[in-house]
Amino acid sequence: MSTSQSMNVRDQSLHKEQLLSLYGVSVPSRLLLGTAGYPSPAILADAAKASRASIVTVSLRREAAGGKIGERFLDIIKNLGVRVLPNTAGCRTARDAIATAEMARELFGTDWVKLEVIANDDTLQPDVFGLVEAARILNANGFKVFPYTTEDLSVAERLQQAGCEVIMPWAAPIGSGRGLANVAALKSLRAYFPDAKLIIDAGIGAPSHAAHAMELGYDAVLLNTAVAKAADPVRMAEAFANAIVAGRIGYDAGLMPARDMAVPSTPVAGTPFFDIE
Amino acid sequence: MLNAMPKIELIVNGRKSETRAQTLAALLDEQELSDAKVATALNGHFVSAAKRGTTPLKAGDSVEIVSARQGG
């Protein structure tokens, strides 16, 4: 086998390792992109393409009499050729979230749902009690639930018991852009649930935050505001795409352990002007 | 025929509304949303498109009519 052939095989195996599987569906990208808050529909479409995202999040809102707003948005999304993940954003009870998920399933033709049950308007903190309750009912009714939760280990355990194969802890509050606020807890969560699909959802502000999440072994990152509100959303989408790939390859390659003290990287033996005697 | 029906008061998408529609499907027709890509709920519970025609409305009901939108 020539060198170039062996390189090709290696590239293919690397590519295969990098495929993300969510509820039995394999997708090439580990970035899930939100569709809200872009300067224009054209910039949304360009940013989604630049992000190389395989999945975009969408939502449901009230339609006015004779309205066509929903249909125009659906056309934009269809043209992207990506899978959609409808959310239940703004729901404050399990009941509302369940009804919203059912409406979304009919409208978007998918049983995937990003389950949000919100407890507090200022922090947009998940109501984890309502979340677990809604997750149990939705899983029993054939949904594939992607629950937006905190980094709390016991809640993640309850979500898994409720049938969730995917768990989506926040990095920081939605739209805050603060990055990974509780790295130690996110590390524990990864270690405690080695087989769950863990997606960081919310609070990411910079590509380095996303790379950090991937270096911790998270399976994917879901973000919206960091791209939509960037000065140039299209270039920021590309930056996130690259950061997430870099972070994942870094994790796969095995990061060196951190040390308290310096260790010279250049060999000490044979250092000139070093007095051996 | 429709005009002979008494008006009832509903909440449609959070606002008070009067209608002569007797079913959810008739209400959508009245709102010019029969052919629109919308989903519906009645009193907090999902009603599928197939069941709108046989879902009766009564005074005080709360109806949600939603469509696709940007989301995070």
Side-chain angles (χ1 to χ4, degrees), chain A residues 35 59 61-63 66 87 106, chain B residues 31 49 64-65 67 69 71-72:
Chain A
T35 56
S59 196
R61 286 295 178 260
R62 288 168 167 168
E63 185 65 278
N87 70 27
E106 183 180 81
Chain B
Q31 300 258 330
E64 294 288 340
I65 307 168
S67 66
R69 214 64 103 242

Side-chain angles (χ1 to χ4, degrees), chain A residues 107-170:
Chain A
L107 202 63
F108 293 106
T110 177
D111 52 13
W112 283 16
V113 62
K114 174 183 162 179
L115 183 61
E116 295 183 41
V117 183
I118 299 300
N120 180 289
D121 286 337
D122 292 322
T123 62
L124 296 179
Q125 168 125 4
D127 170 7
V128 296
F129 304 98
L131 181 71
V132 171
E133 183 191 349
R136 189 184 305 111
I137 293 165
L138 288 170
N139 279 315
N141 287 322
F143 283 89
K144 310 287 192 299
V145 179
F146 294 61
Y148 159 66
T149 184
T150 66
E151 71 277 24
D152 189 288
L153 206 79
S154 59
V155 174
E157 198 160 37
R158 296 294 179 95
L159 289 168
Q160 216 176 28
Q161 286 165 0
C164 297
E165 290 176 22
V166 177
I167 296 165
M168 304 207 296
W170 63 358

